[in-house]
Amino acid sequence: MGVPSQELNARRLRFLKGLEDNSVAIVFSGYPKILSEDEDYKFEVNRNFYYLTGVEQEESIALFIKAEGEEKTFLFISPFDETKEKWYGKKLTIEEGKEQSGIQNILLTSSFNSRLEAVLNDEINPIKNVYFDDSEELKIGSKQYVCDYIASLKNRFPLKNYVSFLPLITRLRMVKSNYEVNEFIKAIESTRLGIRSVMVECRGGVKEYELATTFSKVINDDNEYQGVSFNTIMASGVHAATLHYPNPLGTCKQGDLVLMDLGAKHNHYCADISRTIPVGGKFNEFQKVLYEIVLGCNKAVSNFAKPGVTIKELNDLAIEYLSSECLEAGIISKKEDISKIYFHSISHHIGLDTHDLSDRSLPLEVGNIISNEPGLYIKEKGIGIRIEDDLLITKEGAEVLSKSIIKEIDEIETFYSLGKQDGKRE
């Protein structure tokens, strides 16, 4: 389950290389947020911290020091607390922290402030820059956010230069390693199994939430309860015309389409897939026309994506394709009307977050993983169609990582006609 030490060490070396000399970088894992009077939200580790350490434990801190040609990394974790362990479970020991992170310098969080102040007060090797994660919602204490902590450091050490490291780590996270690509493939395979099970259960009279629950159970059985990448969208009929349809309480009706936008996680790497299927297993003629337009756009984008192309250029292609095809089919009366039935971007970067850190102005490069998600939404007709794949940018162009998840009309209809057997494309 853990990230290999070799992978983590390589990430930390690239991170340290991107820091200016005579600098420190402080990376917090985060702190649970209050849900109600007696409960917290499920803790989600700060993904930048996880990317650099492989540790998911709250109230942990990584400290990077780059001074006088020497680079050091420290990890600070919570001390053992017998009472807390009885209530909330086991925390990492120092030895476990070393094994999980590959970092050998591990101390208790109680010593973090004194260690940092000693470094910042060092007059022999003076630190000029303090790098930090300036994410607005990063909570690091019961009543403290990272911006509060940095403000306090500025008061105590006003002559230092305080710099966000988000631009640096964004560039690092945008380019996926072979390890990360393999994690994606595992997440996509779990997603495929979940979608197949949804297709088996999709019939007239079933509730949208029943299909969403089926997906969740299947992927959790397959990926050891790692959960979904994001809240599953399971939208039938007119509900599919709402992009982020939030309340799957509707009943699927024979002849309607069901749009599912969903994904499984594997070690926090997020599959993000959309498929649209007919309740009852057969598309009607109008549904086929719309579906083939969306599918054609999906294929055109996959074929066009390559190093050097920007996401804006992909979206321009999608708009031109959809508007031309819809105009020819008589779905719109002029090309400008496409904005009424296609009103989102074609793509975003995917990684440790479904909408991963990225600089969308940069051209694509080898190792990027992006979504490819054209759609058409006609509320008046009670229809919404989206077909989304995950693309890996390669030297040759783009590889469709989710190609095993069926999307051709004949494949989908055959899946149903053969008694809903395995829908995997051979």
Side-chain angles (χ1 to χ4, degrees):
M1 293 288 291
V3 184
S5 292
Q6 184 177 0
E7 173 79 11
L8 293 170
N9 288 334
R11 294 176 185 178
R12 289 191 287 264
L13 285 174
R14 290 194 297 270
F15 181 69
L16 281 161
K17 183 179 179 180
L19 303 179
E20 294 287 339
D21 289 335
N22 300 315
S23 297
V24 299
I26 308 165
V27 194
F28 294 94
S29 71
Y31 190 89
K33 296 183 180 181
I34 296 172
L35 171 63
S36 65
E37 189 65 29
D38 60 354
E39 189 176 1
D40 292 332
Y41 285 101
K42 178 180 178 293
F43 176 70
E44 289 288 346
V45 67
N46 172 22
R47 296 300 192 260
N48 294 327
F49 178 87
Y50 177 79
Y51 179 80
L52 293 169
T53 68
V55 171
E56 300 182 63
Q57 187 166 291
E58 68 272 20
E59 300 181 73
S60 302
I61 311 166
L63 177 64
F64 296 84
I65 304 172
K66 183 177 182 180
E68 296 301 315
E70 189 173 7
E71 298 174 348
K72 294 181 181 178
T73 303
F74 294 87
L75 177 64
F76 298 81
I77 60 175
S78 300
F80 171 77
D81 187 316
E82 184 176 0
T83 301
K84 283 188 176 181
E85 185 171 306
K86 288 177 180 177
W87 281 87
Y88 304 112
K90 190 177 183 303
K91 301 297 183 184
L92 291 175
T93 64
I94 287 178
E95 287 305 314
E96 289 169 339
K98 290 180 180 180
E99 182 178 356
Q100 191 165 321
S101 68
I103 298 171
Q104 298 306 304
N105 300 315
I106 298 189
L107 304 168
L108 299 180
T109 51
S110 55
S111 66
F112 170 71
N113 284 326
S114 59
R115 176 57 62 103
L116 177 63
E117 291 192 12
V119 173
L120 296 182
N121 281 317
D122 189 340
E123 296 181 356
I124 299 175
N125 299 308
I127 294 296
K128 297 179 181 178
N129 306 299
V130 178
Y131 287 85
F132 65 98
D133 186 338
D134 62 347
S135 301
E136 291 183 8
E137 293 299 314
L138 179 53
K139 190 177 184 183
I140 63 172
S142 61
K143 296 181 179 180
Q144 189 177 41
Y145 287 81
V146 68
C147 56
D148 304 320
Y149 183 79
I150 296 302
S152 69
L153 281 184
K154 288 180 179 179
N155 286 332
R156 297 203 302 276
F157 303 97
L159 299 181
K160 308 296 183 187
N161 183 33
Y162 294 85
V163 186
S164 170
F165 64 65
L166 285 184
L168 167 60
I169 206 160
T170 294
R171 290 299 305 270
L172 296 179
R173 284 177 54 180
M174 284 172 65
V175 179
K176 306 304 187 289
S177 66
N178 290 335
Y179 162 80
E180 291 177 290
V181 173
N182 288 332
E183 294 299 284
F184 264 102
I185 291 170
K186 293 172 186 175
I188 289 169
E189 174 58 14
S190 289
T191 304
R192 184 191 73 82
L193 294 174
I195 289 174
R196 175 185 177 278
S197 296
V198 169
M199 293 177 69
V200 169
E201 298 297 325
C202 187
R203 61 188 181 278
V206 71
K207 296 288 188 182
E208 294 163 338
Y209 66 77
E210 292 180 292
L211 298 179
T213 300
T214 293
F215 178 76
S216 180
K217 181 183 185 308
V218 170
I219 66 165
N220 278 321
D221 286 346
D222 185 64
N223 69 9
E224 298 181 338
Y225 196 57
Q226 295 190 49
V228 294
S229 301
F230 52 93
N231 290 334
T232 295
I233 297 169
M234 193 67 67
S236 64
V238 69
H239 298 156
T242 300
L243 291 184
H244 290 170
Y245 174 63
N247 300 310
L249 300 175
T251 301
C252 298
K253 298 175 183 178
Q254 196 77 4
D256 277 353
L257 297 181
V258 172
L259 189 163
M260 59 183 106
D261 189 343
L262 33 65
K265 286 193 299 189
H266 199 276
N267 283 342
H268 293 294
Y269 288 91
C270 300
D272 185 8
I273 306 295
S274 294
R275 290 293 185 265
T276 306
I277 59 175
V279 180
K282 276 289 196 181
F283 292 90
N284 66 35
E285 290 308 309
F286 182 67
Q287 291 168 349
K288 284 183 178 180
V289 170
L290 285 179
Y291 190 96
E292 289 291 359
I293 292 173
V294 176
L295 182 59
C297 184
N298 173 278
K299 293 176 180 179
V301 170
S302 293
N303 290 332
F304 184 62
K306 60 185 176 181
V309 171
T310 65
I311 286 180
K312 181 183 182 302
E313 289 173 319
L314 293 180
N315 199 52
D316 289 344
L317 169 69
I319 292 171
E320 175 60 29
Y321 186 99
L322 293 172
S323 61
S324 296
E325 293 295 317
C326 286
L327 182 64
E328 183 176 343
I331 296 165
I332 56 177
S333 57
K334 56 183 185 295
K335 292 178 75 170
E336 292 76 14
D337 287 342
I338 194 63
S339 62
K340 298 177 181 178
I341 58 175
Y342 170 69
F343 34 80
H344 58 80
S345 175
I346 194 68
S347 185
H348 57 82
H349 286 255
I350 319 172
L352 290 171
D353 293 299
T354 308
H355 285 247
D356 210 31
L357 285 178
S358 66
D359 182 343
R360 293 172 65 89
S361 68
L362 294 175
L364 297 173
E365 59 182 308
V366 174
N368 291 166
I369 295 181
I370 62 171
S371 66
N372 171 16
E373 48 183 311
L376 292 173
Y377 314 91
I378 306 177
K379 190 172 185 179
E380 298 76 17
K381 299 285 188 179
I383 191 169
I385 297 172
R386 185 161 63 252
I387 305 171
E388 178 181 13
D389 286 306
D390 297 344
L391 306 182
L392 170 66
I393 304 302
T394 67
K395 291 180 181 178
E396 294 75 27
E399 177 186 349
V400 182
L401 295 178
S402 47
K403 58 183 176 290
S404 65
I405 305 175
I406 61 173
K407 60 185 178 183
E408 301 287 345
I409 285 178
D410 62 342
E411 290 178 319
I412 294 169
E413 292 187 341
T414 299
F415 177 90
Y416 285 96
S417 67
L418 293 179
K420 299 176 181 177
Q421 298 302 310
D422 189 359
K424 182 177 179 179
R425 179 185 304 173
E426 297 300 330

